[in-house]
């Protein structure tokens, strides 16, 4: 191993921290590649060896929420500088760089379930796996109140991970547990779709404590507007699309004081920038006068 520990070593540490019992431990110590690591609840860490700067960034970006007990809902969007997630025709491959796509796969590897809307499934036919990094594939959840998903979508047939097809309660029976095979499960909804809080509650009861809301823009926007997102990773690419499909779309506000003001940290991700937004507790509340 080189004198400076590299990101692959750091990622192995993060995966081990992911599986620790943080509800019952204030800190954990373990050895990876012959090197001792100590990680405290909340993400503090120490290591006797020197870490490369990009390894330190990996720790600083992920450990604050990996090494924390309780439920977590994290959202992710990749967009251009001018807030587009696709061109007007719907083309989105690839707005963000390879490192940003690797970052998305890391997020998937650190959660129990990944949630997407039916529009994303029908438009992109995603796999929602962790092909670019080491780790376990999450449970894949498709939000489809009116059962519009294409029957031939890959995630219903590839067997890569448990897959839940959430549809309106009138279209399938309810179920309290995760299926072993792709299954259609009914959940109460309105004309506006599923209540985001109800989706997260159902997943928590089924054992999915950490959830990634991945897309598309409409689905992420509904979860952010519902106030159920704890953390939001917004990956911004250095390009201007001009006229395209917007990412985050929230109801209009009258004054800037009503705007969401999450705590924000910035990280480099190849050519892109990660805006790590913390909506936890008061982090996303409008500013008080």
């Amino acid at each position: 191993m080189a004198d400076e520990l590299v990101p692959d070593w750091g990622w192995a540490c993060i995966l081990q921290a992911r599986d620790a019992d943080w509800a019952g431990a204030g800190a954990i110590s373990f050895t990876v590649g012959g090197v001792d690591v100590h990680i405290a609840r909340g993400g503090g860490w120490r290591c006797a060896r020197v870490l490369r700067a990009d390894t330190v960034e990996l720790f600083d970006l992920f450990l604050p929420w990996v090494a924390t007990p309780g439920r977590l809902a994290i959202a992710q969007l990749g967009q251009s500088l001018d807030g587009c997630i696709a061109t007007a025709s719907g083309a989105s491959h690839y707005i963000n760089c390879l490192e940003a796509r690797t970052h998305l796969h890391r997020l998937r590897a650190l959660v129990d379930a990944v949630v997407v809307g039916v529009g994303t499934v029908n438009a992109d036919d995603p796999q929602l796996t962790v092909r670019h990094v080491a780790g376990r594939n999450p449970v894949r959840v498709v939000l489809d109140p009116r059962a519009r998903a294409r029957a031939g979508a890959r995630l219903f047939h590839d067997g890569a991970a448990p897959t839940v097809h959430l549809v309106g309660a009138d279209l399938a029976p309810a179920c309290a547990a995760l299926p072993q095979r792709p299954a259609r499960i009914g959940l109460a909804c309105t004309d506006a779709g599923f209540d985001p809080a109800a989706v997260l509650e159902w997943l928590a009861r089924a054992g999915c404590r950490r959830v990634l809301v991945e897309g598309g823009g409409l689905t992420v926007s509904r979860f952010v507007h519902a106030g159920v997102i704890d953390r939001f990773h917004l990956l911004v690419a250095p390009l201007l699309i001009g006229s395209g499909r917007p990412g985050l779309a929230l109801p209009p506000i009258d004054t800037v004081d009503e705007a969401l003001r999450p705590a924000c940290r910035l990280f480099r991700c190849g050519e892109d920038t990660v805006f790590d937004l913390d909506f936890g507790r008061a982090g996303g509340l409008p500013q008080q006068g």
Side-chain angles (χ1 to χ4, degrees):
M1 183 178 291
D3 289 339
E4 294 184 337
L5 296 174
V6 299
D8 284 349
W9 175 89
W11 180 241
C13 294
I14 291 168
L15 288 177
Q16 189 147 335
R18 174 207 190 279
D19 293 330
D21 177 16
W22 290 107
I28 61 170
S29 297
F30 51 87
T31 301
V32 174
V35 178
D36 294 334
V37 185
H38 179 87
I39 299 174
R41 181 188 295 176
W45 58 272
R46 67 174 184 268
C47 175
R49 292 279 296 275
V50 176
L51 274 62
R52 263 177 31 181
D54 47 0
T55 309
V56 172
E57 282 211 340
L58 204 66
F59 273 19
D60 290 345
L61 178 56
F62 289 115
L63 285 180
W65 57 270
V66 168
T68 301
R71 289 167 53 178
L72 176 99
I74 182 167
Q76 184 276 163
L77 278 179
Q79 66 175 46
S80 63
L81 280 171
D82 50 351
C84 296
I85 59 173
T87 66
S89 65
S92 61
H93 293 78
Y94 285 106
I95 289 175
N96 297 95
C97 65
L98 175 60
E99 291 85 352
R101 299 195 294 277
T102 300
H103 175 86
L104 172 57
H105 286 220
R106 292 194 196 280
L107 288 176
R108 292 174 184 168
L110 294 175
V111 298
D112 304 311
V114 56
V115 173
V116 295
V118 62
T120 295
V121 171
N122 287 345
D124 299 337
D125 197 17
Q127 294 173 266
L128 305 180
T129 60
V130 297
R131 302 179 303 283
H132 291 313
V133 299
R136 298 192 300 268
N137 290 327
V139 175
R140 302 174 293 188
V141 183
V142 180
L143 303 185
D144 186 13
R146 294 184 294 279
R148 298 185 295 112
R150 292 191 299 106
R154 281 185 293 184
L155 52 72
F156 295 135
H157 304 283
D158 62 12
T163 302
V164 175
H165 185 194
L166 276 185
V167 298
D170 58 329
L171 298 173
C175 180
L178 293 174
Q180 295 299 312
R181 300 176 181 177
R184 180 181 288 190
I185 294 174
L187 189 68
C189 66
T190 67
D191 290 343
F194 297 116
D195 175 7
V199 172
L200 295 177
E201 185 62 35
W202 184 86
L203 285 169
R205 291 197 305 269
C208 295
R209 183 173 57 87
R210 290 191 180 126
V211 177
L212 170 64
V213 182
E214 183 173 321
L218 178 60
T219 297
V220 171
S221 297
R222 293 193 69 232
F223 276 73
V224 170
H225 179 56
V228 297
I229 294 299
D230 301 297
R231 214 158 192 118
F232 187 4
H233 281 196
L234 188 63
L235 289 92
V236 179
L239 77 159
L240 299 169
I241 292 178
S243 297
R245 298 184 181 180
L248 203 60
L250 300 176
I253 57 176
D254 294 323
T255 68
V256 175
D257 286 344
E258 299 175 71
L260 297 175
R261 295 178 183 270
C264 179
R265 301 186 302 161
L266 301 182
F267 294 86
R268 294 296 302 167
C269 190
E271 295 180 349
D272 297 356
T273 301
V274 178
F275 287 76
D276 175 27
L277 307 177
D278 185 358
F279 286 95
R281 303 298 180 231
L285 296 178
Q287 182 177 357
Q288 300 299 311

